[in-house]
């Protein structure tokens, strides 16, 4: 279906220029890249830009430690970042730096417009000062005991233990994180952005549909607490931009960081010459602007940033899309366990397209955390990409080359092709709304159909019979045409595979040509497109990522994250027969707020309704479960959970994650039936 061309600018949050990219970072860039590539595949004018966030005290101090000028260090880091992104097939239209003349000019312009509009206030504040380093200390460079819960070694802005937020001056026994010295109070003049002046506009904008519902709800809590004026000043020494007409005062990094989106785009416009900056950023712009970010920086992007743009006379973004964190094997990334994995360590061992697909298969439009389970990762890649997708071509392409002069036949029966093409609008909608996991499920369901067709037709048998040659030609051509459609659908996710397939099929894969007739088209000889993931590659990544820490004897005896769970102590047959296993119909399924793995289920056991919290969120969306059947341990004592009462346990079979299977309604079981 033809669509009118849109003008789209899309950004990812700017990586901080003081360290390497890791797999947690890569989630965001892969998510954004898929979305931007999809827009381009659909024929829209889409520009994906980013930059290194290159200012701030941490960069200044890190450069001092390395014996480098800050400019040298950020140049080195930027080179490493860009190489990592390029090797993960992240296709930026421009990657720049916030330490640029474009950004300096725009930051000054926006500040002066805010100042002239009456939105910048001057105050004298008392701030902690390091007497040994002769510098004012940013919040994160003061540590001490939390004034609320008394937990030690907490940062100066919030407590990791109880979540309280406070001023660094509220800390008990504060210490400088730079020198260890006890800081002293010192007066200094700072400039503040008058965020409360934009409260009504922000309330309207945050509820306009520009944000995910979870984000809008969270911002509602901040409105209830009351918006505060925002300190945008840092005192020398500081690596950043000096504030116009204020010697020795510098813009706080978070003021010029989001302006870096505009600075990078301005740099692209100047280099290209055919893109108009104002067409995208002017107040009356009809172009679209989208920011992809992590949930930890929602406050800056959904309050400060749109207020700054409004006050300076620029347009606000159409939407800000937040995602959750990445965990590995169900836990936070850990250097001691080897699961704090740098992008380069992964790239040294595995194909980047594997991670792109795995992340896509688990991403939704929600802000849920995403678990990179390494065993599930290997199984899913091997099953979906190697076993289903690539296998479709490898089973049939050889016959075209060897038996039919490398040329495809005219397909007589187009029913399968038409059913695949009928899914294009559904898949496109899933991409557009960032429901990548749903798109991958649709595509792999089609791959299952195509593989079943090939298995039933068995072209390897047909080619052995003289009178079945045309039929074999038809089957192999049909299979490769279905393969072409599938890879086109996956092109935003697997750009390198798509490029290799284009070479094999000797044509460009475009959304507009999905229904192309390939009769008589000549293909190149088939070459292997993907290899299976071997667990030894994953083990090599973990080994390379593990810090050399002195482990205790107990830790040394712990099983690896990749080991199978040990079998529990045996129970007697008498214990087993006490279990009352019943068929239950899932009447209602819901997400559990703040729970990564749980779904809330209402189960019908033939007239009796029970509520159960089940850890099957990785395998099913709630809407996919309603009406299906499951087996329930019906006589399990109710258990009080943080989210409510769970009155039993549901059973599912499979290796875990997405591969968990329950009963289908057509399988003959009835609610309330006992399983024997």
């Amino acid at each position: 279906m033809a669509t009118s061309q849109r003008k789209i600018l899309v950004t990812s949050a700017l990586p901080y220029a003081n360290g390497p990219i890791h797999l947690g970072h890569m989630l965001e860039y892969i998510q954004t890249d898929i979305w931007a590539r999809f827009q381009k595949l659909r024929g829209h004018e889409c520009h994906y830009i980013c930059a290194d966030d290159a200012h701030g005290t941490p960069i200044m101090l890190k450069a001092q430690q390395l014996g480098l000028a800050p400019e040298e260090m950020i140049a080195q880091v930027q080179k490493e970042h860009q190489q990592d992104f390029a090797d993960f097939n992240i296709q930026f239209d421009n990657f720049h730096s916030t330490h640029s003349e474009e950004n300096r000019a725009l930051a000054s312009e926006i500040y002066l417009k805010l100042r002239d509009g009456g939105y910048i206030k001057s105050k004298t504040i008392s701030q902690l000062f390091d007497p040994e380093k002769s510098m004012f200390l940013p919040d994160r460079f003061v540590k001490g005991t939390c004034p609320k819960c008394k937990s030690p070694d907490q940062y100066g802005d919030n407590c990791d233990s109880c979540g309280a937020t406070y001023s660094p001056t509220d800390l008990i026994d504060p210490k400088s994180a730079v020198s260890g010295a006890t800081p002293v109070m010192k007066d200094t003049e700072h400039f503040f952005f008058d965020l409360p002046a934009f409260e009504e506009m922000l309330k309207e904008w945050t509820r306009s549909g520009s944000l995910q519902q979870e984000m809008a709800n969270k911002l509602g809590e901040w409105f209830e607490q009351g918006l505060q004026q925002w300190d945008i000043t840092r005192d020398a020494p500081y690596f950043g931009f000096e504030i116009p007409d204020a010697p020795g005062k510098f813009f706080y990094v978070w003021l010029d960081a989001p302006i870096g989106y505009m600075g990078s785009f301005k740099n692209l416009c100047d280099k290209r010459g055919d893109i108009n900056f104002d067409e995208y950023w002017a107040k009356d712009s009809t172009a679209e602007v989208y920011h992809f970010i992590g949930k930890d920086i929602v406050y800056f992007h959904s309050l400060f940033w749109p207020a700054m743009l409004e006050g300076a006379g620029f347009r606000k973004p159409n939407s800000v899309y937040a995602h959750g964190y990445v965990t590995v094997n169900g836990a936070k990334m850990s250097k001691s366990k080897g699961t704090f994995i740098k992008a380069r360590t992964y790239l040294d061992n595995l194909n980047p397209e594997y991670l792109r697909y795995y992340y896509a298969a688990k991403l939704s439009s929600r802000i849920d955390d995403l678990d990179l389970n390494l065993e599930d990762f290997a199984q899913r890649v091997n099953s979906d990409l190697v076993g289903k997708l690539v296998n479709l071509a490898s089973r049939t392409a050889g016959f075209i080359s060897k038996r039919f002069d490398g040329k495809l036949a005219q397909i007589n029966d187009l029913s399968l092709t038409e059913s695949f093409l009928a899914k294009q609008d559904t898949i496109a909608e899933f991409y557009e709304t960032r429901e990548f996991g749903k798109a991958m499920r649709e595509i792999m369901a089609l791959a299952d159909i195509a593989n079943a067709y090939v298995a039933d037709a068995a072209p390897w048998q047909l080619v052995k019979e003289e009178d079945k040659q045309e039929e074999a030609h038809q089957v192999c051509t049909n299979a490769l045409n279905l393969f072409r459609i599938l890879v086109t659908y996956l092109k935003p996710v697997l750009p390198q595979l798509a490029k290799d397939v284009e070479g094999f099929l000797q044509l460009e894969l475009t959304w507009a040509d999905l229904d192309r007739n390939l009769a008589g088209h000549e293909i190149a000889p088939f070459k292997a497109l993907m290899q299976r993931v071997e667990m030894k590659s994953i083990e090599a990544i973990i080994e390379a990522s593990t810090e050399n820490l002195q482990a205790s004897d107990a830790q040394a005896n712990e099983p690896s994250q990749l080991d199978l769970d040990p079998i529990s102590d045996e129970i007697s047959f008498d214990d087993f027969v006490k279990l009352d296993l019943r068929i239950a119909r899932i009447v209602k399924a819901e997400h559990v707020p703040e729970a990564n793995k749980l779904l809330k289920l209402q189960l019908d056991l033939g007239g009796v309704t029970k509520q159960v919290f089940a850890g099957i969120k990785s395998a099913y969306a709630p809407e996919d479960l309603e009406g299906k059947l499951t087996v329930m341990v019906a006589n399990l004592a109710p258990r009080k959970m943080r989210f409510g009462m769970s009155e039993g346990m549901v059973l599912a079979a499979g290796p875990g994650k997405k591969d968990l299977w329950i009963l289908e309604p057509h399988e003959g079981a009835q609610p309330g039936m006992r399983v024997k």
Side-chain angles (χ1 to χ4, degrees), residues 603-622:
L603 303 175
D604 173 22
L605 286 89
V608 177
T609 301
K610 292 202 174 190
Q611 174 176 285
V612 172
F613 291 90
I616 58 174
K617 191 173 183 177
S618 61
Y620 293 98

Side-chain angles (χ1 to χ4, degrees), residues 24 225 258 513 576 665:
Q225 296 170 11
D513 287 339
F576 176 74

Side-chain angles (χ1 to χ4, degrees), residues 33-55:
D33 185 68
I34 290 171
W35 197 80
R37 283 180 181 271
F38 165 72
Q39 301 299 347
K40 293 174 183 178
L41 185 63
R42 295 279 278 173
H44 300 306
E45 181 182 328
C46 180
H47 309 288
Y48 177 21
I49 59 97
C50 197
D52 265 344
D53 183 1
H55 288 158

